Amino acid sequence: MSGLLGRIRPVDAAASVAPTEGLEGITPGGIGERLDVRPGLVSRCFPVVDELVAEAFGQVVGAELDILVPPGQAGSTPSNGSRISSYSRPEKGTAYSAVCGSTPGT
C-alpha cells in the first residue's frame, strides 16, 4: 500500500468489527489484519486506540440513527404519537477527512 493510510479505512474496518466482536474487539492488530497492513500503521493513525473505537462507535450509531430516523425527519411526530427527539451529527465524511498523521488544529 503506497502513501499514508487514510483514517477512513481503519474506521470503516473497526465499524465492521464492532457489531460482531464488540468494541473490545477493535485492536490495531485486528484492524491491520483486515486492511492487510501492519498494526503499526494503524497505531500511527490512531496512537490511542480509544480514538479509533470512538470514531467507529460514532459511525455505527450514525448508521443506526439514519435507519431509525431518516435524515430530514428529526423532530417529527411518528404515527404512534410519541415524539422523536432531535439529533444532529456532522455531515458524513467530515470526521474522516483528516489523513493519517494530521489532526484538526495542527
Side-chain angles (χ1 to χ4, degrees), residues 11-26 34 56-57 59-61 63-64:
V11 172
D12 287 343
S16 71
V17 167
T20 57
E21 298 179 34
L23 298 177
E24 61 277 351
I26 299 173
R34 281 182 174 264
F57 180 77
Q59 183 172 320
V60 170
V61 170
E64 291 294 320

Side-chain angles (χ1 to χ4, degrees), residues 4 16 18 24 48-49 63-64 83 86 92 94 102:
L4 295 173
S16 71
E24 61 277 351
V48 179
V49 75
E64 291 294 320
R83 182 126 176 106
S86 296
K92 289 183 180 179
T94 57
S102 66

Side-chain angles (χ1 to χ4, degrees), residues 70-97:
Q73 292 186 7
S76 64
T77 303
S79 59
N80 68 3
S82 63
R83 182 126 176 106
I84 299 172
S85 62
S86 296
Y87 69 92
S88 67
R89 119 180 124 257
E91 290 297 317
K92 289 183 180 179
T94 57
Y96 316 118
S97 61

Side-chain angles (χ1 to χ4, degrees), residues 7 44-45 47 51 97-106:
R7 290 175 64 93
R44 183 174 175 193
C45 292
E51 293 173 1
S97 61
V99 174
C100 177
S102 66
T103 57
T106 60

